[in-house]
């Protein structure tokens, strides 16, 4: 496993994301890594990330799939170009669509493993499959369609 | 518009949800209401609910669609049975699947309006369409497939 997460390669001005930005002090700080042909992240839900007692809130699961998906998209796009992550020009992806199937209730109180797989890289679009598991049991399956961030979304100056 | 939100009819032991539970002190406290044949909720993202500077984090959008969807499912199921919300037996829905299309970047700093529509009520399943708009512009469109919470998920005692 690579020592530096995908998100640590994001430029400073694009590192405020609530789900995975290192500069968001309130955020979830998801970190994603290569593990062979797959990508992996581990997340420890907090006690208040609850749906009904004993189970994790579905919005959190959607959120970590989303961020792991866009991270995997960036890493996969660099790999498809035969470039090291973080080299210029920088690649940063946003979500065009997100689909999550909740397979079973996700237990609260154990770490969650999110695994991603690049399904397709086509022009500015990358499709990523993801699975969220608790104690080895898949609890949710997701698909993220990510697109390279349009130039006009690039922050001119950072005010947050 | 009804004065009491759907979520205020949820039983106490099912009111801990991070997205919409009144008993979750860290949560988002989404509140959904009937507005004719549609349902509506308003949410004010906090400054840290950021994706990249100026825009709302996609996981938050997924989360409010999810909670507005399950709330709309419950309200729609009561209505389909010709019952007032909160009457016995209580109906509470969980998410089977969630799909979100991000139509355009959602601006941060303005309230978001989430509108829902019951598309289908079939047995224990309710399908809800939702749209998230900012200043009248639709930014995301979602579909929630909600199912009535299985009995075995019902909390025996509340420990959180």
């Amino acid at each position: 496993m690579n020592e530096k997460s995908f998100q640590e390669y994001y430029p400073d001005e694009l590192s405020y994301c609530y789900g995975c930005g290192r500069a968001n002090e309130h955020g979830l700080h998801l970190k994603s890594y290569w593990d062979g042909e797959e990508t992996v992240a581990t997340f420890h839900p907090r006690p208040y990330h609850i749906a009904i007692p004993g189970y994790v809130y579905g919005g959190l699961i959607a959120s970590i799939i989303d961020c792991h998906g866009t991270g995997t998209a960036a890493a996969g796009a660099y790999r498809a170009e035969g470039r090291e992550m973080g080299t210029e020009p920088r690649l940063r992806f946003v979500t065009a669509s997100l689909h999550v199937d909740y397979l079973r209730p996700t237990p609260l109180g154990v770490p969650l493993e999110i695994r991603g797989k690049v399904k397709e890289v086509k022009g500015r679009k990358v499709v990523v499959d993801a699975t969220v598991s608790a104690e080895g049991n898949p609890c949710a399956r997701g698909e993220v369609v990510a697109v390279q961030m349009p130039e006009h979304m690039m922050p001119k100056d950072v005010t947050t």
Side-chain angles (χ1 to χ4, degrees), chain A:
Chain A
M1 221 186 269
N2 198 317
E3 286 199 340
K4 201 167 160 184
S5 71
F6 303 159
Q7 290 83 5
E8 286 167 280
Y9 288 103
Y10 292 169
D12 287 345
E13 64 273 27
L14 299 179
S15 294
Y16 290 92
C17 174
Y18 182 80
C20 63
R22 60 184 179 274
N24 190 322
E25 58 173 321
H26 299 277
L28 306 175
H29 298 149
L30 190 80
K31 290 182 177 180
S32 307
Y33 303 87
W34 281 114
D35 182 21
E37 287 303 302
E38 291 189 356
T39 61
V40 66
T42 304
F43 186 76
H44 294 73
R46 291 152 206 171
Y48 52 80
H49 286 141
I50 185 175
I52 58 173
Y55 301 108
V56 176
Y57 159 58
L60 179 83
I61 292 165
S63 299
I64 58 181
I65 287 177
D66 183 13
C67 282
H68 187 66
T70 48
T72 297
Y78 273 107
R79 196 175 258 196
E81 292 183 13
R83 291 203 283 133
E84 285 298 314
M85 228 182 149
T87 58
E88 301 291 341
R90 302 285 185 106
L91 300 177
R92 179 79 162 86
F93 283 72
V94 293
T95 312
S97 79
L98 171 67
H99 185 88
V100 182
D101 289 315
Y102 297 91
L103 308 175
R104 58 172 59 84
T106 303
L108 190 61
V110 296
L112 302 180
E113 184 180 79
I114 309 106
R115 290 207 155 256
K117 213 169 194 171
V118 176
K119 202 167 144 187
E120 186 189 338
V121 181
K122 197 175 178 185
R124 297 174 67 89
K125 188 180 93 172
V126 179
V127 183
V128 175
D129 280 337
T131 308
V132 176
S133 302
E135 299 178 310
N137 299 314
C139 298
R141 201 163 29 220
E143 186 193 73
V144 176
V145 178
V147 291
Q148 217 177 305
M149 199 183 81
E151 205 51 47
H152 67 83
M153 284 181 74
M154 191 66 191
K156 302 283 178 292
D157 62 315
V158 176
T159 52
T160 46

